[in-house]
Amino acid sequence: MKKFLMFFLAVVGIFLINACVTKPAPEYGLVSNIADGQTLPPKAMIQVSLKDVKTGKEVASTLKVTKDGKEILNTSGVKHNFAAEDEGTYVVTVVPKDGSSGSKTLTFKVTALEKEVYLDGGTILYDYIPSNILAKKENILLRFYKYEDVTIPGTTETYSERKRLNLVDTNEDGLYDAWETLPATDSGNHKWYEFPYSVSYGDTILTIYFFEYAEDHIIPWYLGTSGTYKGYLFTMDFAEVGFDLNKSYARYVQPKTSGSPYSLNQFTLHERYNSDTKPVFYLTASTDTINAGDKVTVYVQAENVADFAKLYDVRYMQLSVKHSKELELSSVKFNNFMQGLKDIGTYKKNDESIVLYKAFLTGSDETQPATTTFATLEFTVKEATPTSVQLVYEGWWNTYGDYPDKPNPVFKDTSNSNVDGFIIDHQPIEFVTPGLLSEGGADK
């Protein structure tokens, strides 16, 4: 009897051990025809689903959509389609039906202003396909060129030379992300990119309408021409690389089969600065790993900001840095930032933010050389846990209940007028702890 009891307990123990060895939770990726944070015109059509990263298959999920904080849609399925009718801030949450924790969130805005402002160009350009090409009802072929100034040997004069451009998918994820430049004479290797004349969306037929060009993307847009969503707009992923500011490009578009009629148009994305001289605020740090008791230095960098500020007579700057509660601010240091003006800097410390203030006065300048570092912040790590620091920039005002402690950037000139054009890179700096990394906790 004793031997039987021991055997029984051993079998039960093996069963319990096996029962505790669970399969790793599936990892899901969000598939969508729009990007997180994108701004769309009214009546834009959205498509989302969850994909099992390991198998590559889309899985059943529940979709919840809120507009300006109020739920407007809650449904289940595999592929989710809906239309963003009106202006507002939309949050899309997709939860796997298997009950795992792999939910994904997508946020976007709908504004009519975005469409109206960029109809005539700017940092975004809408390139409408000519009606005589669309009348062919054929798939559309598109390719690109750029123009470069070439110096005439022995002179100071230049002429404009047209180069051919190919899009390249460097990481093979299905989205073009880089350019390849070809000589003007190499037409044989100059690629065409084909877009279907029409696609179906339920009972709706959508016809290609225009292309959207920006610094960081190229997007085809389709217009509903019949069915439930007639008059609505639909977009799809194509390229996450775009065009430099203030440089001349051209696009060639034609119907696939006939090749005629065709359209060759030059275009330029406009801004007050070039792509390589943009006034950008961003963060860097002395380390990306932390332990309790460590000192961590965070630098508020500001490339090209001083030159842009001088051009527009900026005399006051305000920036906010938000941080996790595991970080305690130890000190703030302001260096000489604006050459030729006297810098005065101070700050306000809140529970999980620091508001930085800088004024620039006429008078004797600091003796040390000017630096591109706007401010230097030192933190003490109170707890060894993953944490982050981030510049505050929030265009969607309704998301900040604590706005007084985390205000948006402000820039004012000598007339006390607001100055725009500064760029805030609010990508957070993420800190991890070596212990969690070694245990597999932070990189699961």
Side-chain angles (χ1 to χ4, degrees):
M1 181 66 181
K2 185 176 181 181
K3 289 182 179 180
F4 174 79
L5 181 60
M6 292 177 64
F7 173 78
F8 175 78
L9 291 174
V11 170
V12 171
I14 293 171
F15 173 80
L16 291 175
I17 291 172
N18 288 335
C20 292
V21 179
T22 58
K23 294 182 179 179
E27 182 181 352
Y28 296 113
L30 184 66
V31 180
S32 178
N33 65 315
I34 68 168
D36 186 48
Q38 190 170 347
T39 300
L40 304 170
K43 294 189 173 182
M45 299 170 69
I46 316 300
Q47 188 174 76
V48 293
S49 62
L50 280 184
K51 180 177 72 173
D52 188 310
V53 173
K54 186 175 181 180
T55 65
K57 295 181 178 180
E58 291 175 312
V59 300
S61 58
T62 298
L63 171 76
K64 184 174 85 169
V65 181
T66 63
K67 175 182 172 289
D68 298 328
K70 296 181 180 179
E71 185 173 301
I72 61 171
L73 181 62
N74 194 323
T75 185
S76 296
V78 177
K79 280 187 179 293
H80 304 285
N81 303 318
F82 68 97
E85 299 275 357
D86 303 311
E87 292 182 294
T89 299
Y90 291 76
V91 178
V92 176
T93 304
V94 190
V95 182
K97 291 282 283 186
D98 62 10
S100 64
S101 58
S103 64
K104 299 294 179 181
T105 300
L106 176 72
T107 305
F108 64 93
K109 283 195 298 183
V110 171
T111 68
L113 179 64
E114 185 81 4
K115 183 177 181 180
E116 294 164 1
V117 165
Y118 294 119
L119 282 175
D120 296 322
T123 56
I124 297 177
L125 177 68
Y126 289 169
D127 178 20
Y128 287 88
I129 301 170
S131 58
N132 59 344
I133 294 178
L134 292 176
K136 291 288 186 176
K137 298 184 178 181
E138 299 178 13
N139 286 2
I140 297 297
L141 296 181
L142 175 73
R143 64 182 180 183
F144 297 100
Y145 306 82
K146 71 175 179 180
Y147 293 83
E148 294 182 347
D149 288 335
V150 179
T151 302
I152 300 174
T155 73
T156 58
E157 297 180 2
T158 63
Y159 68 94
S160 183
E161 181 177 75
R162 191 181 75 177
K163 300 288 183 69
R164 300 173 184 270
L165 292 176
N166 283 341
L167 287 161
V168 181
D169 181 6
T170 60
N171 56 7
E172 299 182 348
D173 66 348
L175 289 177
Y176 295 110
D177 52 33
W179 289 108
E180 174 190 31
T181 302
L182 302 177
T185 56
D186 191 3
S187 73
N189 290 310
H190 195 190
K191 296 179 181 178
W192 290 98
Y193 303 95
E194 182 177 350
F195 299 86
Y197 169 74
S198 63
V199 294
S200 59
Y201 190 96
D203 69 342
T204 300
I205 300 299
L206 302 110
T207 302
I208 193 164
Y209 191 25
F210 63 87
F211 295 100
E212 178 181 324
Y213 307 142
E215 278 191 277
D216 57 359
H217 66 258
I218 301 169
I219 296 175
W221 284 88
Y222 285 74
L223 175 69
T225 54
S226 66
T228 303
Y229 293 107
K230 182 178 180 179
Y232 285 67
L233 290 169
F234 178 79
T235 185
M236 60 185 69
D237 289 330
F238 176 65
E240 53 189 6
V241 64
F243 305 93
D244 288 339
L245 298 176
N246 298 314
K247 291 189 177 181
S248 185
Y249 295 88
R251 67 96 179 100
Y252 193 118
V253 62
Q254 68 177 44
K256 179 182 179 181
T257 304
S258 59
S260 178
Y262 66 87
S263 174
L264 176 61
N265 281 357
Q266 286 187 240
F267 64 91
T268 302
L269 301 184
H270 296 286
E271 183 48 283
R272 288 165 287 180
Y273 34 70
N274 295 321
S275 292
D276 55 354
T277 59
K278 292 188 294 187
V280 182
F281 289 93
Y282 63 97
L283 298 182
T284 60
S286 58
T287 181
D288 59 2
T289 59
I290 57 172
N291 287 300
D294 285 353
K295 297 287 187 181
V296 174
T297 305
V298 173
Y299 306 94
V300 182
Q301 305 286 11
E303 289 186 4
N304 305 310
V305 167
D307 290 340
F308 186 79
K310 290 176 187 176
L311 186 63
Y312 287 90
D313 296 323
V314 174
R315 293 295 184 268
Y316 173 79
M317 295 183 180
Q318 171 186 303
L319 284 174
S320 303
V321 179
K322 58 182 178 180
H323 59 88
S324 304
K325 61 182 179 180
E326 292 79 13
L327 298 178
E328 177 68 31
L329 181 68
S330 303
S331 66
V332 176
K333 180 182 178 182
F334 294 100
N335 295 321
N336 182 24
F337 181 71
M338 192 85 82
Q339 193 73 42
L341 295 171
K342 183 175 180 60
D343 294 28
I344 296 178
T346 188
Y347 67 95
K348 177 185 177 184
K349 179 181 178 298
N350 300 303
D351 289 340
E352 295 182 24
S353 71
I354 306 102
V355 187
L356 305 170
Y357 308 94
K358 269 207 148 184
F360 308 101
L361 310 177
T362 55
S364 58
D365 191 13
E366 291 79 5
T367 56
Q368 67 267 36
T371 174
T372 58
T373 303
F374 183 81
T376 303
L377 286 62
E378 187 176 84
F379 295 92
T380 300
V381 181
K382 296 193 297 182
E383 183 181 344
T385 185
T387 185
S388 64
V389 178
Q390 180 179 355
L391 281 174
V392 172
Y393 178 73
E394 183 52 71
W396 305 351
W397 298 87
N398 60 345
T399 60
Y400 267 118
D402 55 351
Y403 183 76
D405 290 340
K406 300 175 184 176
N408 266 333
V410 175
F411 306 97
K412 290 184 175 289
D413 63 12
T414 52
S415 301
N416 201 34
S417 299
N418 290 319
V419 179
D420 69 346
F422 295 97
I423 299 169
I424 310 300
D425 182 350
H426 48 90
Q427 181 72 23
I429 292 180
E430 305 284 353
F431 299 103
V432 297
T433 61
L436 284 179
L437 281 175
S438 62
E439 295 169 9
D443 59 348
K444 281 190 174 178

